[in-house]
Amino acid sequence: MQGVAILGSTGSIGTTALRVLARHRDRFAVRAVTAHANAALLAKQVGEWAPSYVALVEGDAETPAAWRRGSASLVEAATLPSVDVVLNAIVGAAGLDATLAALGAGKRVALANKESLVVGGALVDAAATRGGGTVVPVDSEHSAILQCLHGRGASDIRRLVITASGGPFREWPADRVRSATVQDALNHPTWSMGRKITVDSATLANKALEVIEAHFLFGVGYDQIEVVVHPQSIVHSMVEFRDGSVLAQLGVPSMELPILYALSHPERLEDAGIPVFDPVAAGRLTFEPVRHDAFPCLGLGVAAGRAGGAAPAVFNGANEQAVALFLDGRIPFGGIATGIEQALDRHAGLAGGDLESLWHADAAARRSVRETFGC
Ligand code: NDP
Ligand code: MG
């Protein structure tokens, strides 16, 4: 029996993971669950799964006495002796400490929290090497790449082709995209996800995060990672090997399979609940280039990845702050890219060799965005 900790159990990935785990109770036991503020859903999950460890980061006097509170509880949950697999489904840089701690304690990290790798990729690698932990991606594109690679390493890869749905504004003229509303941005054509990643998918900042994620997960250079728009979200990504052969992984847009695979890798488990793929129903599969004029966040993020140091942390921190302000109705959609660009102009050169300097860069980026908009 494998013990599982689900960090962010009340979110889109967390609740999907519990649905998957409910079909595999013979192999996995949920030992820990954590949430940020959603006490009602967390209580419901505790009633169903009876985990021995429960944490509500923003708990208050009303919080059950047996539950832990505060952000240190995420690290505690990630390092419990009874836990073998940590599913990190927290949103944002807030997930980094738990990823590092889990890897340092030798756990498998099923990583949905891509921001961990974007902010602290080199530190994540170092923690895995030091502690003996492993990272298995939950992100559908990276799960697809892992499945195509089937154990082959970076030296066999010529190119990774990451697919992007293109988001709700794929066909909009660039000036209309800049003034899109919150409601427009939350209306994703193919995936149902949390609010932050849904906005990231509309700006294509999500693809920049994924390019950086792929760089660290698979050890390939930025010149070898390409993004292509694929509106149907059926081909989850492709690997071109050095002999020119291209393998792709296909399926309906659902996170259930990537979550299951991150738990079972390299094994494959029987699961009748995974949505069935019907190629005829899927219909025509199309591919288009990215329109960089309408979606500048992708280029900004990839450039930050190439620059290295604290630049990816600055990109991520600025993006998180700008998305929060956009969702609050305080800046226009186009302001997300403007805020990121100015933060990178001001702070991309900051040092990023250790955790402290990365948090410093993260804070500087967030402050820069607030200053840009007088918020
Ligand atoms: P959600 O917003 O739906 O859920 C986030 C979860 O994290 C919730 O349980 C939330 O608790 C908790 N949380 C939020 N902020 C904090 C914090 N500061 N400290 C601790 N816990 C916190 O996000 P998603 O599930 O959509 O995404 C989670 C991660 O997975 C992101 O990194 C995203 O990029 C990635 N991902 C998501 C996909 C998807 O399909 N949704 C696909 C691929 C990757 P509460 O509910 O109490 O607020
Ligand atoms: Mg993805």
Side-chain angles (χ1 to χ4, degrees):
M1 187 68 77
Q2 298 249 293
V4 183
I6 306 185
L7 313 182
S9 63
T10 50
S12 166
I13 292 287
T15 52
T16 305
L18 286 172
R19 214 163 52 235
V20 171
L21 285 164
R23 303 195 291 262
H24 298 277
R25 290 181 194 259
D26 54 327
R27 286 188 72 118
F28 300 103
V30 176
R31 300 260 158 77
V33 289
T34 79
H36 189 238
N38 190 343
L41 181 53
L42 191 66
K44 200 161 155 257
Q45 294 176 341
V46 170
E48 186 182 345
W49 292 90
S52 48
Y53 187 98
V54 184
L56 187 66
V57 171
E58 295 285 306
D60 55 23
E62 310 274 287
T63 304
W67 294 9
R68 310 296 293 230
R69 295 192 251 160
S71 55
S73 61
L74 302 173
V75 166
E76 234 169 59
T79 53
L80 293 171
S82 62
V83 164
D84 305 290
V85 184
V86 176
L87 173 65
N88 189 342
I90 294 169
V91 61
L96 174 59
D97 287 341
T99 296
L100 294 173
L103 292 171
K107 314 291 188 192
R108 163 188 295 227
V109 177
L111 189 68
N113 180 253
K114 61 190 90 185
E115 295 92 341
S116 283
L117 275 171
V118 173
V119 175
L123 300 184
V124 169
D125 283 350
T129 306
R130 193 178 63 245
T134 50
V135 179
V136 187
V138 167
D139 219 347
S140 58
E141 295 77 1
H142 306 74
S143 177
I145 291 166
L146 182 71
Q147 293 178 59
C148 293
L149 283 174
H150 202 65
R152 294 194 182 277
S155 61
D156 276 330
I157 302 173
R158 184 188 287 167
R159 193 167 51 123
L160 303 178
V161 181
I162 297 181
T163 53
S165 72
F169 311 137
R170 180 173 61 88
E171 296 183 295
W172 287 27
D175 57 346
R176 186 171 167 217
V177 173
R178 283 192 285 275
S179 54
T181 66
V182 170
Q183 204 189 349
D184 294 331
L186 291 179
N187 185 21
H188 196 279
T190 51
W191 291 97
S192 159
M193 310 176 285
R195 282 157 64 91
K196 188 259 181 183
I197 183 176
T198 302
V199 175
D200 288 350
S201 301
T203 58
L204 294 202
N206 183 51
K207 283 304 135 179
L209 300 175
E210 292 185 352
V211 167
I212 300 170
E213 181 185 10
H215 166 78
F216 283 108
L217 281 173
F218 303 113
V220 297
Y222 287 100
D223 288 339
Q224 292 168 275
I225 309 173
E226 211 169 284
V227 175
V228 64
V229 174
H230 168 49
Q232 298 82 19
S233 301
I234 297 289
V235 175
H236 296 313
S237 278
M238 311 174 215
V239 178
E240 181 183 15
F241 290 93
R242 62 180 178 169
D243 60 1
S245 176
V246 179
L247 296 192
Q249 188 260 339
L250 281 68
V252 292
S254 155
M255 289 309 294
E256 295 202 17
L257 178 73
I259 289 169
L260 176 65
Y261 191 69
L263 297 170
S264 70
H265 168 82
E267 252 189 278
R268 287 189 181 276
L269 300 183
E270 184 97 34
D271 188 331
I274 299 288
V276 176
F277 175 58
D278 174 352
V280 175
R284 190 187 291 268
L285 304 183
T286 60
F287 300 90
E288 308 163 6
V290 173
R291 289 168 48 223
H292 286 280
D293 61 324
F295 303 103
C297 290
L298 174 56
L300 289 169
V302 174
R306 285 177 189 273
V314 170
F315 172 76
N316 181 74
N319 182 55
E320 285 190 29
Q321 179 65 81
V323 169
L325 292 175
F326 169 69
L327 285 170
D328 264 2
R330 297 171 73 183
I331 68 171
F333 187 79
I336 298 173
T338 310
I340 292 171
E341 189 169 17
Q342 296 206 4
L344 285 168
D345 281 349
R346 291 172 188 155
H347 302 299
L350 286 173
D354 55 31
L355 200 52
E356 201 186 335
S357 51
L358 291 171
W359 286 128
H360 173 76
D362 173 87
R366 288 171 199 259
R367 207 164 44 240
S368 165
V369 172
R370 291 193 299 271
E371 280 166 16
T372 296
F373 296 102
C375 296

